[in-house]
Each structure stands twice: as structure tokens, then as C-alpha cells.
Amino acid sequence: MDEEGPHARTSGDFAQAFRDATNRRGLSLERLTYHLSRRGHYLSAATLSYWRTGRSVPQRSASIAALGALEEILGVERASLAALVPPRPGRRHGDAPPVPAAQYVKGGSFVSEAISALGLDWQNGLELLSSQDYITLRGDGTLDRQLVTRVLRASREGVDRMPVWYGLDDDRSYPFISAETNCRIGRIREATDMPLVVAELLLPRPMQVDDVIRIQFSYGAVGQTVPLRDCHRAHIAPCGECYLEVVFDPRALPVHAEEFVEFASSERCTPLPITSNALRRYKGDFGPGIWGLRWEWSEDGLEPISGATASQARCPRPADRAHRVFDSTRHGGPDPLRDTGSHGYDDPGARARSRTR
């Protein structure tokens, strides 16, 4: 069923615009695939043919990500094709009431309170089309970096920000969030009784209904004292495509790994073979629920976590510190919900860091 109203779009709208653009440019579908591959996007001529005839439209993350390059090759206005991609039937979740946060997010009550204090809501008028997480670990099993890529579509007019959060089970760690591509860090809320930070992520400009954007941000942590044993993504609403990749140091491989899915109080696990130094899993149309990977280390398979490693791990350089670090010992009593203000609003590389007692 097609969307109704002034912003309604159909597969025919996209097909017509794509067909007109390719005719004006005079490129065959084979040449289009060649130019796309030169830009790192690998789509088949058959896929492009389906788009031209309206048999299908871009929906997968790889297809959505290729639209910008396709628009450039065809010489059309930026986002003109992306704006015509119709929603999946019955899959508009940007304004759907989310499930109770605490059901799927650890520290959900704090996250919910922090999001509300920032004047935001859980989804904030953005539909999550694709979520990709790329995690790298060190030889001691601690987190080096978690790069998050999201493709979002606006379901409300004027959306220009969204909430993100990150925490670890390591009580002595200092998690932080870094803006990477098409976003900036705004205000921060930090928990003082757990290593958890909630940040306001600012988009480049207010979005119109059906605008699509690809953003990247990353997670890190200073002062880690225990190796990481799992990574997961909690979805409070359905997501079109989910991808997880964990890359281990070749000298420190796990002895056992599994994929797990949690719905409410039930859990389903699937053992995974360890055939290289990476685990890669994909899941389509997932949520609400928790989906992730977990692994076990051998007793002597990891390097020791030294104090120097813990203190230097991904710690922002002084020149990058467009923010202050909250230390609860310098304040008159712990406040479980503290606003640390604006952190690097004009610095795309600014980091949101959390320090807890």
C-alpha cells in the first residue's frame, strides 16, 4: 500500500526519475555499474534494470548508500533520487511509540530520563533504515573502537538532532562518543553511578519529511580494566538492516563464539565457527529486541591490561578536548543526571566522554 498525502511516493516515481536521468546522461546500465564500482559501490546491472522499470526500489543499506554516487554520476541534484524512494509498506516507525526502554536497554531508566531532559524522544522522528557496527578489539581484549553507521529517514518536518548513548559493564571505565560524519556532538548527560553517557547528536541541517541521511559516530572507552565479552544492539523499533562485525587481534582469538537474540524474557543462541579473526553477522527486518554476538576467552589467551594501555586507550588528545570531563569527586555529592553542557558544537571531531565514580 502506498503512502498517502502530499509526500506520497511510489516505486513508479523513483523509476521515472531514474529512467529520465539515465536517458539524459546517455549511459548504459553496464557503464553505470562500472562508475559506481569505481566509487566503492557494487550493484549489478540487473538491480539497476529493476529500478528503471519499477520492479524494485533501493531498500537495502548498500543500495541506499550508493544513491549519492549515482546522483553524482547522472548529474542530477543531490538527494533528488533518494527523496523518491518509497517507504516499505507498513514500515514507518519514526513516530511509533517505542517499547518500554528498560526492557531492551541497560540503564534504560537513566537513558529515558536523560533523553527527556534534553528535550528529545527515543526516535525523534527518524526511521532507522540501516544500522552497521564495526568493532575492533586489542590484544588484551579491550575495546579499541566501535564505529557506528546509520542510514536514517525523517518522518517529521524539521528534525535536526537525535539521542545516542553508550555504556560498558566495566565499572572503572570512562566511555565516550565521537562524532565522525554528517553529525556533531551537542549537549551531554552523564550517569554518576554507572559508566553510561547520553549525547545529543546534531545533524547538518533540519530535515524535511522523507529526507535520507547517512551518519557515522563512534564509541570508545578510557581506563578499561576487563576484556570485552560481547557486543549487541538494542532496537526499540524495527530496523530494515542490521550488521555486526567484530575484529579481534590475530594474537588474541576467542575460543567460543555465538550469536544471540533476545525478545522480552526469551533468548535464542546460535554457535558460530571461528574461522578467522573476525565475526560478521547480518540480520534484516529486526526489532524490537536485542541482537548481538558474545564470545569466550581462554585463560591465557590475552595480553595483560596494563595501566598505561588503559589510560591511553583512545584518549582524546588535548587539542581535541572541546569539552570538559565530569569528575563526581569535584562536586558536592553525586548527581545521577548531570548536564555537562555543549561539547564541541562547532567541532565535528568533538567527543562526549563520561566519567563516573
Side-chain angles (χ1 to χ4, degrees), residues 29-178:
L29 297 183
E30 288 73 17
R31 292 299 296 172
L32 278 180
T33 61
Y34 169 76
H35 288 297
L36 284 170
S37 67
R38 293 289 298 272
R39 291 165 170 80
H41 302 285
Y42 301 95
L43 300 178
S44 68
T47 294
L48 297 180
S49 176
Y50 287 163
W51 293 359
R52 273 180 59 96
T53 60
R55 290 182 60 184
S56 68
V57 293
Q59 290 285 7
R60 295 185 177 277
S61 59
S63 300
I64 295 294
L67 288 180
L70 188 61
E71 291 160 350
E72 179 184 343
I73 295 167
L74 294 174
V76 299
E77 184 179 351
R78 186 174 181 179
S80 60
L81 292 179
L84 295 175
V85 176
R88 297 180 183 180
R91 298 284 294 185
R92 294 311 299 258
H93 307 291
D95 291 309
V99 298
Q103 183 174 352
Y104 295 117
V105 178
K106 185 172 183 179
S109 58
F110 167 79
V111 174
S112 183
E113 186 178 353
I115 289 174
S116 178
L118 292 173
L120 304 172
D121 56 58
W122 281 88
Q123 293 169 274
N124 219 51
L126 291 167
E127 179 187 3
L128 183 58
L129 301 178
S130 172
S131 176
Q132 303 176 24
D133 291 76
Y134 180 81
I135 300 101
T136 53
L137 303 182
R138 303 187 186 90
D140 57 13
T142 59
L143 175 69
D144 179 44
R145 186 190 191 208
Q146 179 170 344
L147 178 64
V148 182
T149 303
R150 289 184 178 175
V151 179
L152 305 159
R153 179 159 53 199
S155 62
R156 290 209 305 254
E157 197 78 22
V159 177
D160 63 355
R161 63 200 63 217
M162 60 179 286
V164 293
W165 55 92
Y166 181 58
L168 290 120
D169 290 330
D170 186 348
D171 289 339
R172 297 180 63 185
S173 64
Y174 306 78
F176 60 84
I177 303 172
S178 300

Side-chain angles (χ1 to χ4, degrees), residues 155-357:
S155 62
R156 290 209 305 254
E157 197 78 22
V159 177
D160 63 355
R161 63 200 63 217
M162 60 179 286
V164 293
W165 55 92
Y166 181 58
L168 290 120
D169 290 330
D170 186 348
D171 289 339
R172 297 180 63 185
S173 64
Y174 306 78
F176 60 84
I177 303 172
S178 300
E180 303 290 346
T181 304
N182 282 337
C183 58
R184 296 173 293 174
I185 297 294
R187 295 168 294 167
I188 308 299
R189 293 276 166 154
E190 305 173 281
T192 59
D193 56 350
M194 69 182 81
L196 177 61
V197 58
V198 179
E200 175 188 48
L201 210 60
L202 306 174
L203 303 179
R205 62 186 180 280
M207 298 177 67
Q208 297 181 356
V209 173
D210 295 330
D211 277 355
V212 177
I213 189 171
R214 174 182 175 271
I215 65 171
Q216 286 185 312
F217 53 94
S218 61
Y219 301 140
V222 174
Q224 300 172 71
T225 60
V226 296
L228 204 66
R229 298 181 183 277
D230 77 276
C231 70
H232 62 269
R233 177 61 66 188
H235 290 284
I236 60 173
C239 176
E241 290 195 322
C242 309
Y243 177 77
L244 282 176
E245 180 170 351
V246 181
V247 179
F248 303 94
D249 187 296
R251 300 164 298 176
L253 300 180
V255 295
H256 173 75
E258 64 183 14
E259 176 183 14
F260 66 92
V261 174
E262 294 182 17
F263 295 101
S265 58
S266 64
E267 179 179 284
R268 183 176 69 253
C269 300
T270 304
L272 299 176
I274 302 172
T275 58
S276 68
N277 70 316
L279 297 173
R280 302 179 180 91
R281 302 300 291 172
Y282 165 87
K283 188 171 287 293
D285 294 321
F286 177 78
I290 298 174
W291 173 60
L293 305 172
R294 65 167 67 105
W295 53 89
E296 296 177 3
W297 305 104
S298 64
E299 293 184 2
D300 57 352
L302 297 175
E303 300 174 0
I305 302 176
S306 67
T309 300
S311 63
Q312 296 171 3
R314 284 274 168 188
C315 183
R317 300 184 304 275
D320 294 331
R321 290 178 181 171
H323 62 279
R324 58 181 177 172
V325 178
F326 171 66
D327 186 340
S328 61
T329 62
R330 297 183 181 180
H331 298 269
D335 180 357
L337 184 65
R338 182 178 296 278
D339 185 358
T340 58
S342 177
H343 293 238
Y345 183 92
D346 295 318
D347 180 5
R351 286 148 168 92
R353 282 185 57 199
S354 170
R355 181 179 178 105
T356 58
R357 292 190 302 168

